[in-house]
Amino acid sequence: MTARRVVVAGAIVADRRLLLAQRGYPAEVDGLWELPGGKAELGESPESALRRELREELGVEVRVGTALRESVALRHDLVLVALRAYIEDGSPRAVEHRALRWVDADELRSLHAEGSLVPADTAWVPELLVDLARR
Ligand code: DCP
């Protein structure tokens, strides 16, 4: 069996809004919105990987919380997980993305309905809507 690499994404919710990042590549997902993150390095924990990716991609320091329940098999050797994250320092900037935006529950539902989310990330919409109703 091949070892599974983890891709971690951050679910950052604050003031009843979720931070989404707009991808610029590859072409299939250009312009679509995702939870920011990336591949864990070999031997790197998902938590450390998320802290590193969000530092690189958004310029923020985060505290990492619990995982969302759904995980998504991207390929046979790649699994995508989302961890809740809380910004402790810095203001998010689109260092590697086209743009960033904070969305409320209605905006998240609309982006989902119009097919503007990265396909794999749609698995998290129900759980994200619950979080958005709480925090
Ligand atoms: N992915 C996703 N949803 C997310 C984050 C990532 O579906 N919220 C997918 C897109 C890619 C894979 O996970 O197929 C890896 O994501 P990135 O390209 O963002 O990660 P890296 O920047 O680490 O990858 P690379 O080094 O290949 O550029």
Side-chain angles (χ1 to χ4, degrees), residues 7 9 23 25 34-39 53 57 74 78 80 118 120-121 124:
V7 180
R23 288 196 71 110
Y25 72 93
E34 68 173 4
L35 301 187
K39 293 191 193 91
E53 288 286 351
E57 295 188 354
L74 289 176
L78 214 55
L80 175 65
V118 166
D121 293 37
W124 296 315

Side-chain angles (χ1 to χ4, degrees), residues 3-51:
R4 277 202 153 177
R5 283 284 290 281
V6 174
V7 180
V8 281
I12 303 176
V13 174
D15 297 331
R16 302 202 173 218
R17 290 200 162 42
L18 169 73
L19 185 64
L20 290 179
Q22 189 178 36
R23 288 196 71 110
Y25 72 93
E28 313 87 77
V29 290
D30 184 9
L32 301 184
W33 296 86
E34 68 173 4
L35 301 187
K39 293 191 193 91
E41 309 283 354
L42 228 57
E44 187 181 39
S45 70
E47 290 77 10
S48 304
L50 185 61
R51 283 194 296 271

Side-chain angles (χ1 to χ4, degrees), residues 4-128:
R4 277 202 153 177
R5 283 284 290 281
V6 174
V7 180
V8 281
I12 303 176
V13 174
D15 297 331
R16 302 202 173 218
R17 290 200 162 42
L18 169 73
L19 185 64
L20 290 179
Q22 189 178 36
R23 288 196 71 110
Y25 72 93
E28 313 87 77
V29 290
D30 184 9
L32 301 184
W33 296 86
E34 68 173 4
L35 301 187
K39 293 191 193 91
E41 309 283 354
L42 228 57
E44 187 181 39
S45 70
E47 290 77 10
S48 304
L50 185 61
R51 283 194 296 271
R52 176 182 53 72
E53 288 286 351
L54 297 185
R55 194 179 294 132
E56 291 170 1
E57 295 188 354
L58 309 177
V60 297
E61 294 298 323
V62 299
R63 173 172 66 79
V64 177
T66 53
L68 300 196
R69 252 177 302 106
E70 290 291 333
S71 62
V72 184
L74 289 176
R75 305 191 312 232
H76 70 287
D77 60 341
L78 214 55
V79 61
L80 175 65
V81 299
L83 302 174
R84 296 183 176 86
Y86 308 90
I87 295 175
E88 298 211 303
D89 196 36
S91 304
R93 287 174 292 119
V95 180
E96 296 180 2
H97 285 90
R98 277 191 188 286
L100 301 179
R101 93 183 247 210
W102 291 95
V103 297
D104 64 17
D106 285 343
E107 291 166 322
L108 180 60
R109 279 191 205 93
S110 301
L111 287 171
H112 183 30
E114 71 190 38
S116 294
L117 298 178
V118 166
D121 293 37
T122 59
W124 296 315
V125 169
E127 286 177 84
L128 291 168

